[in-house]
Amino acid sequence: MEKKIVVAVIAFWLTLSFWSGSTSVANDICTEAVTKLRNCLPFLTATAPSPSLSCCEAVGWVNQHATTTQDRRDLCKCLKSASLAYKVDPTRAKELPEVCKVPVPVPILPQIDCDK
């Protein structure tokens, strides 16, 4: 069981590295965004009726760090991969910025085309 968890974590991080781009800055932003947005998992996986304050603060952090087109693309790819890995409910992901009252230029949706 422990080996399966380790393999899953390694696979997840490799996926994030692949999707987040090749620069270390993109990897750093991706890692930090995913780490911060873990506070949103109870809401995004429909186990909590509303997002926590720390979740909404994380959404604000993503908004503040998606300043360039390339940042937004990198974060989009990263969050898309993470949403698939964590089995995020697409409806909840779409609702999150509105519920937190934070405009987000980077959607957290598995079906989004990040290159557009």
Side-chain angles (χ1 to χ4, degrees):
M1 177 73 172
E2 191 173 316
K3 275 188 175 183
K4 287 182 182 179
I5 293 170
V6 171
V7 170
V9 169
I10 291 170
F12 174 71
W13 285 114
L14 287 173
T15 302
L16 287 181
S17 297
F18 173 76
W19 282 109
S20 65
S22 60
T23 66
S24 63
V25 172
N27 287 333
D28 291 344
I29 291 172
C30 174
T31 300
E32 191 159 354
V34 170
T35 299
K36 289 180 179 298
L37 289 169
R38 281 191 188 129
N39 293 319
C40 299
L41 282 178
F43 177 75
L44 292 172
T45 58
T47 59
S50 61
S52 65
L53 177 59
S54 60
C55 168
C56 289
E57 288 171 350
V59 174
W61 184 93
V62 170
N63 185 45
Q64 291 173 354
H65 287 82
T67 56
T68 69
T69 300
Q70 191 59 49
D71 289 343
R72 288 188 291 275
R73 282 189 180 131
D74 291 340
L75 278 168
C76 177
K77 290 174 183 177
C78 170
L79 297 176
K80 178 179 179 176
S81 179
S83 71
L84 291 168
Y86 285 111
K87 297 182 172 86
V88 167
D89 178 336
T91 302
R92 290 277 183 121
K94 189 175 181 179
E95 294 172 352
L96 184 61
E98 184 178 325
V99 173
C100 286
K101 296 179 175 58
V102 177
V104 177
V106 180
I108 311 170
L109 299 172
Q111 69 273 18
I112 195 84
D113 181 356
C114 296
D115 292 320
K116 289 187 177 183

